[in-house]
Amino acid sequence: MTEPDEPEPTDFAARYQVLTNGARQWLSYHFVEGRITRFGRQLQGALAACDAKLPGAGERFVHELADVRYVPTRDDPDKWRKGYEQLVQKLAEILVTRIILDAAWPAGTTFQIEPANPVTGSRPDLVVDTPNRQWLFEVKCPSFIDHQERRAERGHQMPVRGPIGAVPGIRAEATLPRDNTLKDFLASADTKFRDFSAKPRTGILFVLWDSYIFEATSALRHEDAGLLTANSWLHNANGRVPFDAVDGVVVLNHLDILKLAPQEQPIRRDDPFTIGGEGQPPNVWCPNLGRGDLDPLVAGIFDAAPVGDLVAADYMPKDYVMWLDLDRDRG
């Protein structure tokens, strides 16, 4: 008796070209038939890995990638920037989904991409249903182009709300906290996770960031104002806004990797759709108030350490940062 032939793997590059009808879009260069780029091959590999663990996931993602429309800078610089940030957001979702699907979950585990919350109607990016627990995951990438340019131009920065911000005139020339961005991410995740089911649940928000990780850890875990602490600056009529359905945030030091890889400016030699590896800094776990360590399985696959364990300057919450331009000062 002969074994049935294995199905041919989906050619996601060809699917992208069909879905975009041959028009120039963000990944058209990477997916040209006969000369797929290294990044194109890596992205195809990530899509295939998702599809192998959850049939249909790769096709879903390639449709979503094709829906991110390219607008040339000369036509509309603002739309170009927003489009590129949307592309990186989608790449981040593919990265996180691939890592989660590849993990050693217990037998009987099932996966769903963007199932509807039966109460709120909102859709978390991924739900992992194990026999004893439900895991809900949301992936967010902040707008970054304008922020990175502004930060590079300004000599000082306030990563958190605090008394320094009351100094006359200081805010006008400072890079301000990104806590409103993170507040919006937490609120969105909380709506998607809340009341999802009666099963024991863990809700985790993943946020992509660049190497200035202290911006995120300050906004989330600074002891005097962090959104996930008892002294959060965010209150409503009932007091501190708790985001109770969110157990914590994993801040992924991966933004510049996914930002530069499609531009063929890789900052690491291996696959940008993997976590860790030679020269790759760790990621950080910021628990919500009253929550403990990240589950060892999730911590391991995302190389995430608790915020208090990472004493490097780039990771620690801060009140104020002054940047020195040594080349300018020498002049």
Side-chain angles (χ1 to χ4, degrees):
M1 180 177 178
T2 59
E3 294 293 325
D5 292 337
E6 289 292 322
E8 288 293 320
T10 302
D11 186 342
F12 292 110
R15 290 290 297 135
Y16 184 86
Q17 296 288 6
V18 169
L19 291 167
T20 56
N21 198 28
R24 182 186 180 189
Q25 297 299 343
W26 285 104
L27 300 174
S28 300
Y29 168 77
H30 295 287
F31 283 161
V32 173
E33 184 178 1
R35 55 180 180 89
I36 295 176
T37 66
R38 178 184 181 188
F39 176 76
R41 293 192 300 273
Q42 291 166 333
L43 177 53
Q44 280 219 93
L47 295 172
C50 292
D51 215 55
K53 294 298 180 69
L54 182 57
E59 179 73 8
R60 181 187 186 113
F61 280 131
V62 82
H63 272 265
E64 293 172 353
L65 289 167
D67 285 340
V68 182
R69 296 304 183 189
Y70 175 80
V71 176
T73 303
R74 65 178 180 274
D75 293 347
D76 192 323
D78 186 55
K79 286 186 178 180
W80 182 93
R81 291 180 176 213
K82 289 179 179 177
Y84 197 72
E85 289 169 343
Q86 289 170 8
L87 175 68
V88 174
Q89 165 71 42
K90 192 54 56 180
L91 298 178
E93 294 172 20
I94 293 168
L95 164 74
V96 171
T97 301
R98 176 192 191 169
I99 301 302
I100 291 172
L101 292 179
D102 273 344
W105 298 98
T109 297
T110 60
F111 307 97
Q112 288 181 281
I113 292 179
E114 292 191 353
N117 183 311
V119 176
T120 68
S122 297
R123 296 177 179 272
D125 286 322
L126 182 64
V127 173
V128 178
D129 231 326
T130 72
N132 299 315
R133 177 166 291 274
Q134 199 169 61
W135 296 81
L136 300 102
F137 299 106
E138 182 69 7
V139 184
K140 294 291 188 183
C141 179
S143 58
F144 56 86
I145 298 175
D146 287 345
H147 176 74
Q148 290 181 335
E149 291 178 354
R150 185 167 55 247
R151 184 177 61 200
E153 293 169 354
R154 298 184 175 182
H156 57 114
Q157 184 168 4
M158 291 181 294
V160 69
R161 300 184 187 216
I164 292 176
V167 175
I170 196 169
R171 292 174 59 87
E173 299 301 326
T175 304
L176 299 178
R178 302 215 72 188
D179 50 12
N180 273 317
T181 295
L182 287 158
K183 176 261 293 180
D184 291 343
F185 290 169
L186 286 165
S188 174
D190 188 72
T191 300
K192 293 176 179 183
F193 298 165
R194 187 188 330 127
D195 301 322
F196 198 91
S197 73
K199 197 170 187 176
R201 298 186 309 275
T202 298
I204 297 177
L205 170 64
F206 289 92
V207 178
L208 235 66
W209 218 264
D210 60 17
S211 58
Y212 296 75
I213 294 288
F214 67 83
E215 293 176 340
T217 60
S218 298
L220 294 169
R221 290 293 305 177
H222 191 290
E223 61 183 9
D224 293 332
L227 288 159
L228 300 182
T229 72
N231 296 317
S232 171
W233 59 269
L234 184 63
H235 287 72
N236 58 24
N238 298 316
R240 170 188 176 267
V241 177
F243 306 111
D244 279 336
V246 182
D247 288 276
V249 179
V250 175
V251 184
L252 295 175
N253 192 346
H254 214 87
L255 174 56
D256 281 340
I257 292 171
L258 292 183
K259 167 190 168 184
L260 295 174
Q263 302 177 52
E264 297 194 297
Q265 301 178 50
I267 57 177
R268 54 184 281 183
R269 291 191 296 271
D270 55 348
D271 191 340
F273 295 99
T274 59
I275 293 291
E278 182 181 356
Q280 179 62 27
N283 302 305
V284 59
W285 165 242
C286 295
N288 202 350
L289 180 65
R291 315 298 167 91
D293 291 341
L294 184 59
D295 179 87
L297 171 65
V298 180
I301 61 177
F302 285 101
D303 190 24
V307 61
D309 291 357
L310 297 168
V311 296
D314 290 347
Y315 286 83
M316 296 297 292
K318 293 172 174 53
D319 295 280
Y320 180 78
V321 177
M322 179 177 289
W323 300 109
L324 300 178
D325 187 336
L326 297 179
D327 291 334
R328 181 189 61 197
D329 293 343
R330 289 191 190 100

